[in-house]
Every structure is written in structure tokens, then in C-alpha cells.
Amino acid sequence: MKKKILAVLLSAAMVAAMAMGCSSGGGSSAKSDGESKGKAEDMTFVVVPKCVHAWFDEVNKGAQKEADLLSEQLGVDVKIDYRAPESAEVSAQNSTLEQAAATNPTAILLDPVDYDGSADIIKEIQDRDIPVILFDAPTPEGSGLTSVGNDFAEQATIAVDMLVEKMGTKGKVAVMQGAPTAPNHAERYQAHLDALAKYPDIQVIDGGIDNDNVETAQSQAAAVLAANPDLTGYLNCDACGSGVAAAIEEKGMQDKVTFVAMDNLIEILDYVKTGTITATSSTLPQEQGMYAVLMAYQAAQGMPLPANVDTGIGRITADNIDEWIETVSAK
């Protein structure tokens, strides 16, 4: 929790510093001619997640908090335009991106379903002098983009470590994929497999594909559990753990299957509280939204940006679940 408090304080300090620079005519435009923006103007940041999902709702909350802080510090109207495609499909997301760009926003914040499938439209948006900031995704090599998130491979390794700590080094483990084309989900999935490969007495099986949908996760997990009554462990790659947990409870396998999930949505935390989910590692979605807006503001001012902003990983177990539930419920 100390890291989260520090993140908020750092954000406030950065905004205050930028506000001083803006009021004195400092800071430059993102336009190619490099002309100074001068006095701060009203801004709109468009947030385009993969799809409609509770995890992205938390990202939106963080983005709105940062927008409110910028509004207060800069004395202008800073708006968040949240546009979530109904499903995690690249065509749907590209259509949303096109519609967002047509509004000529200050910047666009994007969690790509498939970066390669959106690369052309991202370039078109940038050519219109609209900065693009990625969140919850690694920075594609050679893209020059800034990404806000965490080390996805590290997060998967943490999950495997927590699984083995409870289950032991022998057993049968299913790994569920999220949206396979999504770079963060793909990286987590491969990292799960790599970490599990260190344990030769653990058999790894296909845990299904949920495509970032809780109901799909539940139905996929139910099929896997029915076909594998000897299953001892489950891992997943996105914030659909409540679906897997529901399937485990329906099969009455809470005492047989050690399930380590991802993220800190309240419905996931509730399952940690009951013990159906043994542990979860959180990507801190509100912090991702907050820092993505902050990076987008800096980009719009022509400021240099880091390739990556790491918001950290929260480790949530039975030992600290009450603290996390209180924190997330209060957001």
C-alpha cells in the first residue's frame, strides 16, 4: 500500500510542476512545428480499452481521477472520453479508434487487442499529431510509443510461485488464456508455461480461452474441470478469475484445485476471502489509468517520455485480503 500512496503523491507533484511551467508559457506542443502552446487549454483524453469489462472500468476511474487533478491544477476543463468496444476484436477496436480520432482529442489511450492489427491506424492517428499512449500492454519494439503497465512476465512468475507454494511441485495444472492476440495476455501465458516448466512433476494442460469475458471463462473452466477430475491447479491470464472460481465452486472442487488468479477486482477479492481463489496478483488498474493520462498530457505538451512506466504488482493472499478489500471498496 505504501507504493500506491507514493504513486499518488508523485503524480500530484508532477502535475503541480507542469502547471507552473504551463502558466509561465513553458512546455511545447506535440505538433511537429514545435510551437509553444502557451496557456493551458481544455483537453479531452480518449480511453480505448480492449472491450467492456469491469477491469477497464477501474482503469477509467483512475483516468478520471487524474483528469480531475489536472483540471484543478491547470484551471482548465480536462475530460475523459471512455469508449469501450463490446468485444475484444481488433476490427471493433479499430473502428472505435477511427471514431475517437475523428473527434480530434488531445490524446488517445489504448490497450491494444492486437498491436500489429492496429499499427496502421495508430500511425495515421499520430500523423494527425494526436499522441497515442498504450496501457496494460508492453511497448512494441521500434514503435517509439510509451506504455503504462507492469512486467507481465514477472506477474505470471509470481502467480506460479504462489501456486506452487500452496499446491506443491507435483500435480496437474490448467492455464487459461485471455485474448490470445493481446500482447500482455500472450506474454503472461508464455511466462506461465516457462515458469511451470521448472517443475517436471507438474503436468500442464490447456485451460481454455476466455477472450476477456467472465462468462466465457466460467464455461471454459467448467469444461476443463469436467474433463479433468484429477486437476490440482489453475492459472489464468486476465481479470476473468471470477468466472473460473465460479466454475470451481459449481463442481465442488474448492478443496482440490489451487487457483491463483490475476487482478484486484472486488469480485475476485471476494473469492480470495472465501478461499476459492488462493491468491491473486494485481496490475493496479486505477494506477494504470492515472499514469496513462499523465503521460498523455506530457506527450501533448511535447515533453520527452520514457518507453515504459511500471505501476507495479500487488500480491494478494489470505494474509492481506481484508486490507485489499477495504482499499478497493473505497476507490
Side-chain angles (χ1 to χ4, degrees):
M1 296 301 172
K2 290 181 179 179
K3 183 172 184 177
K4 295 174 70 178
I5 294 172
L6 177 60
V8 174
L9 292 175
L10 177 59
S11 175
M14 291 176 72
V15 171
M18 288 187 291
M20 292 175 62
C22 199
S23 64
S24 63
S28 61
S29 168
K31 309 293 184 184
S32 58
D33 59 11
E35 293 179 359
S36 173
K37 269 186 172 297
K39 190 177 185 298
E41 300 176 350
D42 291 348
M43 294 173 280
T44 298
F45 298 105
V46 180
V47 179
V48 180
K50 290 189 184 78
C51 60
V52 174
H53 193 289
W55 190 87
F56 294 117
D57 292 341
E58 294 301 311
V59 173
N60 186 35
K61 289 178 185 177
Q64 187 60 62
K65 285 183 178 181
E66 189 65 31
D68 291 344
L69 181 59
L70 283 167
S71 295
E72 179 183 351
Q73 293 289 335
L74 301 176
V76 297
D77 188 12
V78 180
K79 296 180 180 179
I80 299 299
D81 181 2
Y82 182 68
R83 297 176 178 240
E86 286 297 322
S87 59
E89 298 177 359
V90 67
S91 59
Q93 190 173 60
N94 284 347
S95 177
T96 302
L97 283 171
E98 290 173 350
Q99 294 166 13
T103 67
N104 196 31
T106 307
I108 294 176
L109 286 55
L110 171 67
D111 182 357
V113 173
D114 178 351
Y115 175 77
D116 290 338
S118 298
D120 289 343
I121 190 170
I122 290 173
K123 185 178 185 305
E124 290 175 9
I125 291 170
Q126 291 178 305
D127 288 344
R128 295 177 57 178
D129 293 324
I130 301 173
V132 175
I133 300 294
L134 303 183
F135 66 93
D136 194 39
T139 302
E141 186 175 355
S143 69
L145 294 172
T146 289
S147 179
V148 177
N150 59 283
D151 187 324
F152 304 109
E154 179 188 6
Q155 187 180 14
T157 302
I158 288 171
V160 171
D161 289 345
M162 292 193 291
L163 176 80
V164 170
E165 183 178 349
K166 176 69 181 294
M167 186 192 75
T169 59
K170 296 181 180 181
K172 187 177 186 179
V173 176
V175 185
M176 181 175 287
Q177 299 184 62
T181 60
N184 58 332
H185 293 183
E187 187 172 338
R188 284 196 195 109
Y189 179 66
Q190 186 59 51
H192 277 132
L193 299 183
D194 292 344
L196 287 168
K198 300 175 184 177
Y199 305 99
D201 293 327
I202 292 180
Q203 179 187 357
V204 181
I205 67 169
D206 180 8
I209 300 173
D210 64 43
N211 283 312
D212 234 343
N213 183 280
V214 174
E215 289 75 20
T216 302
Q218 184 173 349
S219 63
Q220 292 275 295
V224 171
L225 293 166
N228 298 275
D230 58 340
L231 196 70
T232 58
Y234 224 124
L235 296 164
N236 74 320
C237 297
D238 58 12
C240 292
S242 57
V244 177
I248 291 172
E249 286 193 351
E250 285 179 355
K251 296 293 183 181
M253 297 179 70
Q254 301 95 308
D255 296 331
K256 296 180 179 179
V257 177
T258 299
F259 174 33
V260 176
M262 291 277 171
D263 289 308
N264 68 350
L265 299 182
I266 191 64
E267 54 266 33
I268 293 173
L269 299 183
D270 287 341
Y271 278 115
V272 176
K273 181 71 173 180
T274 65
T276 302
I277 295 178
T278 299
T280 185
S281 57
S282 173
T283 52
L284 308 179
Q286 286 210 19
E287 283 76 359
Q288 289 200 32
M290 179 180 71
Y291 277 102
V293 170
L294 186 58
M295 291 301 103
Y297 171 74
Q298 293 189 57
Q301 301 305 311
M303 298 177 69
L305 303 181
N308 297 285
V309 176
D310 191 339
T311 53
I313 302 168
R315 304 187 189 204
I316 305 170
T317 67
D319 293 335
N320 61 3
I321 186 59
D322 290 335
E323 181 182 0
W324 273 96
I325 288 176
E326 180 180 358
T327 299
V328 171
S329 299
K331 286 182 177 180

